Structures are given as C-alpha cells and as structure tokens.
C-alpha cells in the first residue's frame, strides 16, 4: 500500500529524532554521510511495506537504531548496521551490494543479522539454527548481538500486533534466551524490560494486577522512603560526599517471580523497593574505600543484616556489575536494601558491555584479560562444537548465561568462578577435560566428598582422579556448566551411535518376527510404554540393553486409549489473552488450526507440569509421538520448547463437553493432631465427593507434611479442596504441586 502523506510525516519525524540522538556519536562529516546513506537505502528498500501494526516498515529499523545509540551506547557503524538490519533478509539487496556501498565491516554485521533462508531438513530446528548463527557472531563482534537484542526489544515493545501463537514463540525465546543474554552482557534496563513485556503477554492478568497494586501503594511507599533517606542524606552531606539517592521499585517480573516461588500474595512481598546511592568519586581515595566509608556511615544510623552484605566491588559479577549491597533494619522494623555505587559503576550497570569497554580501554593500566574476556572465552568453547545439533547447542549456550555464581579455590589458592549449583565434577572439567573424565572424588576443604557435591562459596577443591575412570551417562544430571556437559556428551556420543545401530537391528528383527513394519503408529504405542521421548532414545536404550522387548507383544496389542484426552482447537482460542483492537484479519502468520474432522488429534498431558482443566494451556506438536503435548502456559519446559521449535506451538483449549477426571497432587502441612487425617480424608471423599488415589504422610517434631493425589474435574475442584482443607483445624498450608510422582 502506497504511503500516505501522514506516513511520510511520521517517518520524517522519527528520522529527525534519530538524527538528534546521533549528535553524541557522529563527530565528522562522513559519519553523517554514512548514516544518511543507510537510512535512504533502507527507506527505499522497504518502500510500500508495512509492519503488522500498519506502520511503514522503516519505522522499525529507525527504532532499533535509536535503541542502539540511546540505550546501549554504541557508535556510528552499529547505527548503520541497525538501519540496514532487515534489508538483506526482506528485500532484494544482497550482502555483496551492501559491501560495495558500505564496506566489509558493515556488510559482515548485516550478514550476521540476516536469518538463514532456505531448506532445513525436518529434524533440524530452523529457529535453533538461526540462533546458532547469531550467537556464533558473538565471538567475532559483540555488537551484532547487541543490535539483535535491540531488534528483539523493539519487537517486544510492538508485540501486541502479532497473532497469539507468534506471541508465544516470541515471548518464549525472549525469556529463554534474550533476557538472560541481555543480563549477561550487563544490560540491566533492557533485561528488565524484556522480562516485564514477556510477562505482560504471557500472564496479562497477573501483570495488570501487580502494576495496579504498585500504583496504589505508591504514596505510602514514597513517604516511607523519604523517612528512611532523611538521616542518610544529612550524614553523607555533612561528611562532604557528593551523591544522589533514590528509591526504586523492583520490576513487575521480579515481584511476580517472588510471588510464584514463595506462593505469597503481593502484600507479603516485603522487599518491594531498594535504595540506591550513586556517588561522585574524589580523585585521591579509591572507589572501593569510598563505598565502605558510605557503608560505615549508614550503619551508624541503621543496623545491618550481617548475612546480607554483597561485595561486588572487590569481586565484580561476571557481567561486569560492581556495587556494594547491604540490607539494614529501617524504621518500623522493615528490612531495606541499600545499593552503593560510584558514577562509573552506575554507568556499567546501566549500559553494560559498551560502558565496560569504554572504561577498560580508558585505563591502559588494566591488566589484559578480565572477567568479560574469560566469559567470551567460555562462550567460544561452548560454541566450538561442530558435531552438536543446533538444539543441544542452544541448551549448552544457555548454560553459559547462568548468572549467580560461586567463587571457589584450587589447592594453590587460585580462584575460579562457577555457576551456582556447580558440582566438584564441573570444577574438574573447568580445569581440564581430561581431569573431568578421570575424576572419581574430590577433597572439599580437605574432606573427601563425592564428585557430585555442589560447591559453596569459598570452598577449596582438589580433584581425586583415576587413570581407568570414564564418564558415565548419569553424570549429565550432576553438571551445570556447558563445558562439562559437552565434554561428557561428546564422550558418550561415540557409544550412543553404536548403540542406536544395535538397537535398530534388534527392534527390526523382532518386528519381522511379528510381520509388522515399524510405522509411526507402532512408535506411538512403543515409546510411551518404554518411557522414551524419541526413537533414538528408545533405540540406544535397547542397544545398550537398558530395556528389552520381552513385553512388546502385549504393548502392540494394547488399545492406546488410556491417557488420551480429547480437546478441540479453535483458531482464536488463545491462552495469551488477545488484545482489544487487534486486527483479526492479520492472521497470515499464525498456523492453521488443527482440524477436528475424521481423525481426531490425540493429546497427552505433559508430565512436567501436569495441567488440568482451568489451567491456561498451550499445545506442542511432538514430532516423535505425533500427538499434541498439552503444557501449562507457565511451564519451563514449554518455554524451552517454544524457544527452540516455535513452529510446533499451537493454541489449544479445554473441551467443555467432556467430563473427565484428571489426576492432580496437593501438598499440605500442619500441626500433628489426632484425628486430623481422618477429617481430611472424610472431607475430600465424603463432603466433596472426590476420589483419592494416594495419600502420603510424614510426621516429625509435632509437624506433619504430606501429599495427596486426587481425581478432579478441573481447577474449580482444586480450589474447593484448598479452601475447605485449609479450614481444618491444624492444617497450615495446602497447595497444588506440578509433578505426579509414581
Ligand atoms: Mn528486525
């Protein structure tokens, strides 16, 4: 559609705005020339094309370029690449043409930002392959990733125009990969916004409720902050410190996470805000000393919580973050977090990578390799595995993004940073792959422990090894670092390949005996019966003699009607609430709905999250079983799947016609009192008329804890049980849990 005068006006408006932002980076005439050249080329190339929102397409690259300069702090080349980032992908221009106009550097950046087109064979996730391509550029030029993050941020800001299943795919990728990546590169502001926007589309009601409550409590909170800050301001001023102080509410997403993790309402989240002090350093005293000086002045006023001091000044976080955090007892008996930073630390916290490099190169005394370089080295190692398929690669890469860390020491006193939860085995692999393969035990703080022992801050670790030892499959469950995982996998892979071949032989022979051809229908019965997710898993287990085919005949004869539940899918049934005013005609990007004709699709309830009617759910077309796995919208596994195989995500809806029972598990806790169990069982089976499958109780020190598995029709039943059971005298807590343990 031709652009109207209004469109042209809008474009010019945004473009002038970008030019103003570029004033801080464009210093020479040729800087302006190249930026203008890029804009006019992109505008011409995208001419007449519109985004889903109806806006002219060029508005998007302009917005990305503006984020790149304003919010990330990159320079002229990055602005040019951002303006051109969709030109090769979406228009007739080629990378070669870009190179002849803008030179090799910008052409290679644009190439890195262009998705791979073309044919992928069916067992490859195109999505994962494209991520791999982008992430591979990380080791050559970090700016490409930063522009990609800016691109994602703008797409998230304008996500409302997308159809529901695209929203699921995009928000999943964002939560799985882009937000952790932004954090890892030190872009706190962007990371927070990505998380908040994801939440807004995944759980619109939760988001709106938290937003409203933050707003409602604002006045009370700002009075509290004022009272808290007043004596600090006076004290710091009289000590001659030049500083700014502010109180900041935590992000909606982090509040939501806390509510989920602790199963508490908004009102019980006590650390809703933090106080931030940013000081201007004086030339003579080192920043570190000044941080502790301020710490000391504050503790003259408020009592600190001794176990809540975080010194990221002495040892910065791996993403470069530096600050001194403390928690003190404020007026009214409330714990308040105070963050102390210099102006330089603040800029690193806000701008991340770009600022980090600015300071690094400013101080020439800085000694070679720092944490950031070390991380990049780790990323390169994780990226450096040609054999790996793209999905494994993505999982491995994600592991390098883990953010909380422990610092441990080698026997020689050299410090090593590992992700939280890392074991002695991770440590062994971190030192050397060979040491990992041969590890049989560890001396942790001079005591002999298993190699699976998680390491704590400050541990000193020595690995005990044996020449004859080799990696075992179960090790994979006890490592968290990408390096360890990959080393173990590579080692096992050779074994597995052999086993798969063996397994295929064994299975085919057995099938010939029965005169059956192994079809998709056969595997639909066999895989669940052996608790295997994929054919390869089944074959390799068979080849390794972990399973056998003794019961196969019975399995093949069985009617696979158990566990199959019926749903129907409709195109606009959307677990992610659709927004008012969304253009329903623009559905070309969404997958056609699964038809409900002759052969009804089959659904399985995902065991990882075990949804029941009333839960918000999403479907995943499992290529191995041919069925649709139904997950909760909030399921972590679903997020991972959607981030990697977004094209297999489909909207599903609970059928209102079927009255079926679903197994769900509730956990409860209370004071041990005679008769309480009787009362519980009677209430559920008698008054509520709900069948109990299992009841497990443990009792100790006058407290009892247990789980109860019940057959329910949906969330209404669950809520009724929670309400009624909660009223029994002595019961303190009842909540639903996800996993059904057999
Ligand atoms: Mn784009």
């Amino acid at each position: 559609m031709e652009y109207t005068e209004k469109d042209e006006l809008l474009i010019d408006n945004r473009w002038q705005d970008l030019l103003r932002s570029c004033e801080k980076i464009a210093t020479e005439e040729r800087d302006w020339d190249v930026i203008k050249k890029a804009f006019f080329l992109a505008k011409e190339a995208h001419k007449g094309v519109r985004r889903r929102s109806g806006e002219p397409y060029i508005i998007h690259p302009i917005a990305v370029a503006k984020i790149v300069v304003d919010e990330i702090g990159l320079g002229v080349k990055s602005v040019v690449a951002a303006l051109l980032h969709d030109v090769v992908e979406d228009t007739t221009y080629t990378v070669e043409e870009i190179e002849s106009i803008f030179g090799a550097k910008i052409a290679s950046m644009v190439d890195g930002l262009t998705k791979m087109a073309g044919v992928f064979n069916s067992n490859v996730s195109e999505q994962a392959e494209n991520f791999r391509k982008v992430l591979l550029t990380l080791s050559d030029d970090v700016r490409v990733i930063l522009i990609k993050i800016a691109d994602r941020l703008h797409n998230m800001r304008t996500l409302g125009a997308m159809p529901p299943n695209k929203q699921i795919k995009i928000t999943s990728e964002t939560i799985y990969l882009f937000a952790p990546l932004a954090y890892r590169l030190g872009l706190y502001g962007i990371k927070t916004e990505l998380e908040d926007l994801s939440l807004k589309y995944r759980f619109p009601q939760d988001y709106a409720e938290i937003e409203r409550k933050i707003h409602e409590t604002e006045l009370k909170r700002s009075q509290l902050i004022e009272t808290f800050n007043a004596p600090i301001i006076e004290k710091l001023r009289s000590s001659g410190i030049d500083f700014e102080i502010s109180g900041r509410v935590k992000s909606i997403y982090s509040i939501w996470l806390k509510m989920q993790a602790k199963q508490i309402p908004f009102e019980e989240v006590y650390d809703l805000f933090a106080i931030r002090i940013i000081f201007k350093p004086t030339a003579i005293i080192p920043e570190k000393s000044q941080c502790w000086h301020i710490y000391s002045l504050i503790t003259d006023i408020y009592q600190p919580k001794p176990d809540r001091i975080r010194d990221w000044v002495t040892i910065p976080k791996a993403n470069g973050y530096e600050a001194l955090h403390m928690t003190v007892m404020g007026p009214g008996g409330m714990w308040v977090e105070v963050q102390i930073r210099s102006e330089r630390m603040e800029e690193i916290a806000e701008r991340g990578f770009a600022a980090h490099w600015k300071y690094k190169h400013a101080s020439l005394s800085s000694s070679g390799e720092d944490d950031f370089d070390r991380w990049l080295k780790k990323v390169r190692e994780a990226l450096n595995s040609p054999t790996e398929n793209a999905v494994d690669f993505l999982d491995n890469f994600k592991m390098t993004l883990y953010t909380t860390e422990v610092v441990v020491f080698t026997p020689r006193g050299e410090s090593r940073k590992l992700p939280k939860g890392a074991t002695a085995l991770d440590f062994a692999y971190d030192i050397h792959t060979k040491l990992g393969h041969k590890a049989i035990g560890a001396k942790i703080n001079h005591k002999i422990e298993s190699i699976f022992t998680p390491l704590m801050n400050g541990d000193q670790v020595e690995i005990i090894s044996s020449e004859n030892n080799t990696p075992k499959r179960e090790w994979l469950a006890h490592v968290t670092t990408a390096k360890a995982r990959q080393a173990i996998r590579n080692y096992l892979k050779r074994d597995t390949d052999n086993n798969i071949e063996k397994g295929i032989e064994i299975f085919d022979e057995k099938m010939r005996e029965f005169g059956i051809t192994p079809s998709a229908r056969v595997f639909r019965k066999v895989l669940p019966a052996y608790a295997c997710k994929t054919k390869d898993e089944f074959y390799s287990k068979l080849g390794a003699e972990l399973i056998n085919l003794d019961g196969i005949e019975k399995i093949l004869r069985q009617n696979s009607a158990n566990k199959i539940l019926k749903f129907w899918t409709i195109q606009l049934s959307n677990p992610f609430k659709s927004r008012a005013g969304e253009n329903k005609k623009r559905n070309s990007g969404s997958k056609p709905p699964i038809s409900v004709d002759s052969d009804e699709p089959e659904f399985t309830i995902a065991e990882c999250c075990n949804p029941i009617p009333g839960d918000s759910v999403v479907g995943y077309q499992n290529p191995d079983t041919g069925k649709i796995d139904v997950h909760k919208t909030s399921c972590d596994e679903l997020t991972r799947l959607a981030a990697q195989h977004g094209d297999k995500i489909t909207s599903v809806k609970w059928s209102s016609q079927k009255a079926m029972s679903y197994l769900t598990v509730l956990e409860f806790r209370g004071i041990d009192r005679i008769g309480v169990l009787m009362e519980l069982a009677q209430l559920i089976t008698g008054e509520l008329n709900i069948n109990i499958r299992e009841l497990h109780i443990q009792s100790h020190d006058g407290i009892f804890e247990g789980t109860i598995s019940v057959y329910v029709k949906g969330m209404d039943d669950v809520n009724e049980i929670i309400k009624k059971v909660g009223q029994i005298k002595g019961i303190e807590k009842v909540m639903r849990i996800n996993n059904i343990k057999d």
Side-chain angles (χ1 to χ4, degrees):
M1 212 190 332
E2 279 295 293
Y3 291 164
T4 62
E5 211 166 294
K6 223 176 114 200
D7 290 330
E8 293 291 352
L9 214 66
L10 178 75
I11 295 170
D12 192 55
N13 219 307
R14 300 291 168 87
W15 164 233
Q16 295 303 329
D17 186 36
L18 175 64
L19 284 177
R20 275 190 295 277
S21 289
C22 289
E23 276 165 20
K24 50 186 175 263
I25 53 162
T27 49
E28 293 167 42
E29 202 48 46
R30 57 175 188 178
D31 291 341
W32 291 111
D33 286 349
V34 70
I35 292 171
K36 284 174 188 163
K37 207 153 69 177
F39 167 70
F40 288 115
L41 187 145
K43 190 183 168 201
E44 186 60 27
H46 294 296
K47 192 172 150 189
V49 180
R50 289 173 191 276
R51 300 191 86 207
R52 255 168 214 287
S53 61
E55 277 179 344
Y57 197 89
I58 187 69
I59 297 295
H60 168 65
I62 295 174
V64 175
K66 192 167 155 65
I67 293 170
V68 158
V69 47
D70 282 353
E71 297 180 50
I72 307 183
L74 295 175
V76 173
K77 280 201 177 61
S78 304
V79 167
V80 170
L83 282 168
L84 298 172
H85 82 270
D86 280 330
V87 163
V88 173
E89 188 172 317
D90 294 342
T91 76
T92 51
Y93 278 90
T94 63
V95 176
E96 289 71 32
E97 285 167 299
I98 299 290
E99 183 170 350
S100 70
I101 304 168
F102 294 95
K105 185 69 234 169
I106 284 170
S108 90
M109 289 167 81
V110 173
D111 186 31
L113 290 161
T114 304
K115 274 195 207 138
M116 284 186 289
V119 202
F120 290 89
N121 65 43
S122 59
N123 48 28
V124 169
S125 162
E126 180 179 339
Q127 216 166 328
E129 290 290 357
N130 274 315
F131 280 134
R132 163 144 69 180
K133 186 185 170 197
V134 172
L135 295 174
L136 282 171
T137 63
L138 186 58
S139 42
D140 318 328
D141 191 341
V142 181
R143 287 177 297 184
V144 174
I145 294 279
L146 295 171
I147 297 167
K148 194 77 193 167
I149 291 173
D151 182 28
R152 173 54 52 125
L153 180 60
H154 186 246
N155 285 334
M156 286 296 292
R157 283 177 181 167
T158 52
L159 193 61
M162 281 292 181
N165 62 340
K166 279 264 166 104
Q167 288 182 357
I168 300 174
K169 173 178 178 268
I170 293 170
T171 53
S172 295
E173 289 168 356
T174 301
I175 275 298
Y176 186 73
L177 196 66
F178 285 96
L181 194 55
Y183 179 86
R184 199 59 188 74
L185 294 168
L187 301 165
Y188 283 82
I190 290 180
K191 170 237 178 199
T192 302
E193 191 178 345
L194 288 174
E195 286 172 345
D196 277 359
L197 286 167
S198 296
L199 183 69
K200 186 172 163 183
Y201 288 99
R202 295 168 84 201
F203 301 101
Q205 280 144 352
D206 292 7
Y207 182 90
E209 190 191 319
I210 296 172
E211 195 179 36
R212 179 173 57 79
K213 285 185 171 166
I214 288 176
H215 187 71
E216 280 171 8
T217 51
E218 201 173 303
L219 187 66
K220 216 180 110 199
R221 194 168 42 246
S222 60
Q223 285 164 349
L224 208 123
I225 291 172
E226 213 175 294
T227 321
F228 179 86
N229 287 355
I232 298 181
I233 294 171
E234 209 193 299
K235 186 110 187 175
L236 265 57
R237 273 203 192 130
S238 65
S239 305
I241 295 167
D242 190 356
F243 69 100
E244 272 173 46
I245 189 166
S246 59
R248 294 162 168 254
V249 179
K250 296 203 167 154
S251 77
I252 295 183
Y253 180 77
S254 64
I255 294 168
W256 179 81
L257 264 192
K258 192 151 256 178
M259 288 164 65
Q260 296 293 311
K262 299 197 168 167
Q263 295 267 320
I264 51 172
F266 177 87
E267 289 70 23
E268 285 173 33
V269 178
Y270 73 97
D271 50 350
L272 269 185
F273 65 91
I275 301 295
R276 184 173 298 170
I277 297 170
I278 299 162
F279 66 89
K280 213 187 209 83
T282 60
I284 338 150
I285 313 161
E287 285 177 358
K288 180 174 163 180
S289 308
Q290 291 185 68
C291 285
W292 286 103
H293 182 213
I294 294 171
Y295 169 87
S296 158
L297 293 171
I298 293 172
T299 51
D300 285 347
I301 308 165
Y302 299 118
Q303 281 286 319
K305 201 178 184 189
D307 59 336
R308 288 294 310 177
I309 297 165
R310 297 288 179 266
D311 177 6
W312 284 307
V313 178
T314 310
I315 303 181
K317 284 192 188 180
N319 61 10
Y321 181 82
E322 291 175 58
L324 182 62
H325 288 197
M326 63 197 292
T327 299
V328 298
M329 178 65 80
M334 200 172 143
W335 292 114
V336 178
E337 184 181 299
V338 183
Q339 307 169 348
I340 305 164
R341 301 175 184 170
S342 69
E343 282 175 342
R344 178 189 62 88
M345 298 173 187
E346 168 72 6
E347 196 180 342
I348 287 177
E350 291 301 312
R351 287 279 190 77
F353 195 82
H356 176 90
W357 280 89
K358 184 174 125 192
Y359 286 107
K360 195 184 157 187
H361 295 300
S363 63
L364 288 167
S365 60
S366 136
S367 56
E369 194 181 66
D370 67 358
D371 276 335
F372 233 106
D373 298 323
R374 269 194 288 274
W375 176 64
L376 277 178
K377 210 163 119 190
K378 276 198 176 137
V379 168
R380 263 177 229 130
E381 281 168 6
L383 298 177
N384 207 352
S385 174
T387 54
E388 209 169 13
N389 75 48
V391 170
D392 287 347
F393 161 83
L394 205 55
D395 281 339
N396 267 346
F397 178 76
K398 177 144 163 81
M399 284 192 197
T400 69
L401 296 175
Y402 273 96
T403 46
T404 40
E405 313 166 308
V406 290
V407 179
V408 297
F409 297 92
T410 67
R412 286 196 207 132
E414 183 198 333
S415 73
R416 295 247 165 184
K417 278 182 192 162
L418 292 168
K420 203 174 167 196
T423 58
L425 189 56
D426 281 305
F427 175 84
Y429 276 106
D430 193 58
I431 303 239
H432 201 283
T433 304
K434 271 192 193 137
L435 184 62
H437 284 349
K438 305 204 175 309
I440 54 168
K443 273 191 204 163
I444 300 174
N445 306 324
H446 308 291
K447 265 173 59 191
I448 293 187
E449 306 272 5
S450 142
I451 48 169
F452 301 153
T453 312
L455 300 178
M456 311 292 272
N457 251 324
D459 279 349
Q460 190 172 48
V461 192
E462 185 181 346
I463 298 299
I464 306 164
S465 62
S466 153
E467 272 308 308
N468 305 326
N469 196 51
T470 56
K472 314 283 180 295
R473 180 161 294 278
E474 62 268 26
W475 283 16
L476 286 172
H478 298 276
V479 293
T480 44
T481 55
K483 191 178 174 190
R485 228 180 138 74
Q486 200 182 293
I488 298 167
R489 273 199 184 152
N490 284 347
Y491 184 91
L492 294 172
K493 189 155 191 321
R494 263 176 294 152
D495 272 10
T496 312
D497 286 349
N498 293 339
N499 285 335
I500 288 179
E501 268 174 44
K502 241 197 273 174
I504 292 176
E505 257 172 52
I506 298 172
F507 189 67
D508 283 357
E509 196 186 317
K510 195 81 177 171
M511 290 302 98
R512 269 197 300 276
E513 266 176 46
F514 293 126
I516 296 174
T517 347
S519 63
R521 187 175 290 268
V522 168
F523 281 105
R524 244 174 265 170
K525 286 182 181 176
V526 171
L527 294 186
Y530 286 96
C532 290
K533 286 207 172 71
T534 63
K535 276 198 241 178
D536 279 356
E537 185 187 350
F538 172 72
Y539 284 137
S540 73
K541 279 186 175 166
L542 190 61
E545 293 172 28
L546 295 170
I547 52 179
N548 63 54
L549 298 177
D550 291 352
I552 191 82
E553 198 175 351
K554 205 173 140 205
I555 291 163
L556 291 172
R557 287 220 181 104
Q558 223 165 46
N559 189 342
S560 58
N562 323 340
K563 255 197 156 177
I564 291 173
L565 298 142
K566 303 237 152 92
F567 296 74
W568 33 281
T569 51
I570 55 166
Q571 181 149 22
L572 285 168
S573 71
N574 173 18
F576 294 32
K577 207 172 176 183
S578 50
R579 308 223 307 174
E582 188 188 305
N583 193 340
K584 283 183 185 158
K585 270 180 236 153
R586 293 185 182 278
N587 244 325
S588 52
S590 68
K591 301 262 308 172
I594 295 149
S595 62
V596 206
D597 47 35
S598 57
D599 205 10
E600 261 187 336
E602 293 168 339
F603 295 82
T604 41
I605 296 291
E607 279 171 13
C608 46
C609 54
N610 191 40
I612 60 172
D615 285 327
S616 161
V617 284
V618 180
Y620 169 73
Q621 290 168 297
N622 188 327
D624 289 318
T625 59
K627 294 181 190 175
I628 292 179
D629 297 341
V630 180
H631 291 265
K632 273 196 207 164
T633 313
S634 59
C635 174
D636 287 344
E637 176 64 10
L638 184 270
T639 304
R640 193 181 71 83
L641 289 167
Q644 297 177 348
H645 313 277
D647 52 326
K648 300 212 158 55
I649 295 298
T650 174
S651 304
V652 294
K653 189 185 170 205
W654 296 98
S655 161
S656 51
Q657 296 159 333
K658 276 267 172 194
M660 285 197 52
S661 287
Y662 300 82
L663 193 59
T664 196
V665 185
L666 299 160
E667 191 178 67
F668 55 89
R669 187 185 152 83
I671 300 156
D672 206 355
R673 172 174 73 81
I674 298 166
V676 74
L677 267 187
M678 276 292 280
E679 220 172 301
L680 181 80
Q682 240 157 34
L683 172 81
I684 293 173
T685 52
E687 191 182 329
L688 298 173
N689 195 19
I690 285 170
N691 288 326
I692 297 179
R693 187 176 97 165
E694 263 172 15
L695 190 61
H696 289 288
I697 307 280
Q698 259 189 346
S699 158
H700 53 87
D701 307 327
I703 304 280
F704 73 87
E705 285 173 316
T707 56
I708 181 164
S709 315
V710 288
Y711 289 101
V712 295
K713 299 230 159 37
M715 270 313 281
D716 289 350
D717 282 352
V718 172
N719 290 333
E720 188 72 7
I721 298 176
I722 289 177
K723 195 176 128 210
K724 287 272 168 64
V725 171
Q727 287 165 358
I728 296 178
K729 202 176 146 232
I731 300 262
E732 297 212 316
K733 188 174 189 181
V734 204
M735 66 189 248
R736 179 176 163 216
I737 54 175
N738 287 335
N739 288 330
I740 297 179
K741 292 180 198 90
D742 280 312

